[in-house]
Amino acid sequence: MSETQSLSKSQQAYHWIKERIARQEFTPGYRLVLGTIASELDMSVVPVREAVRQLEAEGLVTFERNVGARVSMVDDSQYRSSMQALSILEGAATALSARRLTADDLRAARRINELMIETLEHFDPKAFTALNQEFHAALFGKCANPRMLELVNAEWGRLGHLRDSTFSFVPGRAQESVREHENILQLIENGAPLGEIEKAARRHRSATLDAYMIHEHPDEALGLPAF
């Protein structure tokens, strides 16, 4: 392969990957398996590796030991702000919904959590995140304050594709998350004080942000507020 041909294939791979990042087909945390991309583009791994190095230089891709190349969280300020807001809003909405939930509602929520547990063996962050949102919507959906519901849903909307990212960056958080779900369910079932339910739901949401911050911004994580 000549140097010119190598550069040409490298640029093909570069644009192919970059376009998929721009279209959010490759979301933050998505693993870039070089062999798979090379096969898709009918080329060797060498030009794909060169393309990934160029994307890394631009900040779009990062390398992590024992993980490999993955799509970066280029600007996580929106994610961090929305997760902080959600920890407060969703905690309150869950507490305000708790007394309205029926036994059938709680069984349905527990079934969703069981499905989440089943996904852990062959972890798919996108599928897990979709189930996670479904679980929480089942708990806060009967909140008596429509404005509170509007605010919670608005923050979920602002997260957009970024909400798929946390479990990609810190997949170990998923196992902790389903255990915390069961704890929240038990509190609601047992008629715990609303303040206790609110705190458990709030801390559950903020713990996900904490896990992300400790992994991605360890220097800043030392000063995390106790939401």
Side-chain angles (χ1 to χ4, degrees):
M1 181 181 292
S2 70
E3 182 176 348
T4 301
Q5 288 175 320
S6 177
L7 178 62
S8 175
K9 286 184 177 294
S10 174
Q11 288 304 300
Q12 288 177 37
Y14 166 83
H15 289 295
W16 188 88
I17 298 169
K18 190 169 185 178
E19 285 173 5
R20 279 153 182 77
I21 294 174
R23 294 203 303 259
Q24 299 179 7
E25 184 177 334
F26 292 170
T27 56
Y30 183 90
R31 286 188 62 198
L32 299 172
V33 181
L34 305 192
T36 301
I37 295 173
S39 177
E40 179 76 19
L41 296 175
D42 193 23
M43 61 178 65
S44 74
V45 172
V46 174
V48 176
R49 184 177 293 113
E50 292 174 359
V52 168
R53 285 174 180 162
Q54 185 176 349
L55 291 163
E56 183 188 17
E58 295 177 8
L60 293 174
V61 170
T62 57
F63 276 96
E64 184 174 349
R65 186 183 299 275
N66 300 324
V67 174
R70 62 178 187 177
V71 178
S72 301
M73 181 83 86
V74 179
D75 179 7
D76 61 7
S77 59
Q78 177 187 350
Y79 171 79
R80 292 158 67 176
S81 296
S82 287
M83 286 293 283
Q84 286 180 347
L86 267 176
S87 69
I88 297 169
L89 294 169
E90 195 174 288
T94 300
L96 290 172
S97 177
R99 298 293 190 254
R100 295 175 163 226
L101 296 175
T102 66
D104 285 343
D105 292 330
L106 294 173
R107 275 194 295 270
R110 182 167 276 113
R111 178 54 186 154
I112 296 168
N113 199 44
E114 289 169 354
L115 290 173
M116 295 175 74
I117 293 170
E118 291 174 10
T119 69
L120 294 176
E121 186 174 354
H122 302 288
F123 191 60
D124 179 351
K126 192 176 186 66
F128 186 90
T129 300
L131 287 169
N132 185 55
Q133 183 175 5
E134 188 178 348
F135 173 86
H136 285 288
L139 295 190
F140 66 66
K142 289 190 174 180
C143 174
N145 185 326
R147 177 57 178 158
M148 185 74 71
L149 277 177
E150 183 181 338
L151 291 170
V152 171
N153 289 324
E155 289 307 320
W156 270 105
R158 285 192 180 92
L159 283 171
H161 72 285
L162 295 178
R163 67 187 179 207
D164 299 339
S165 309
T166 308
F167 297 114
S168 298
F169 283 91
V170 281
R173 172 62 191 150
Q175 296 182 355
E176 298 171 355
S177 185
V178 293
R179 288 195 293 268
E180 292 166 10
H181 286 175
E182 178 59 29
N183 177 57
I184 295 170
L185 285 171
Q186 290 181 8
L187 289 173
I188 295 173
E189 286 174 333
N190 295 334
L194 295 185
E196 191 174 342
I197 294 170
E198 183 277 332
K199 182 178 180 181
R202 171 167 45 87
R203 285 300 303 145
H204 165 70
R205 177 64 63 201
S206 62
T208 299
L209 175 59
D210 291 352
Y212 171 79
M213 290 293 292
I214 290 168
H215 190 269
E216 293 296 304
H217 304 281
D219 293 339
E220 296 180 48
L222 296 175
L224 285 173
F227 281 102

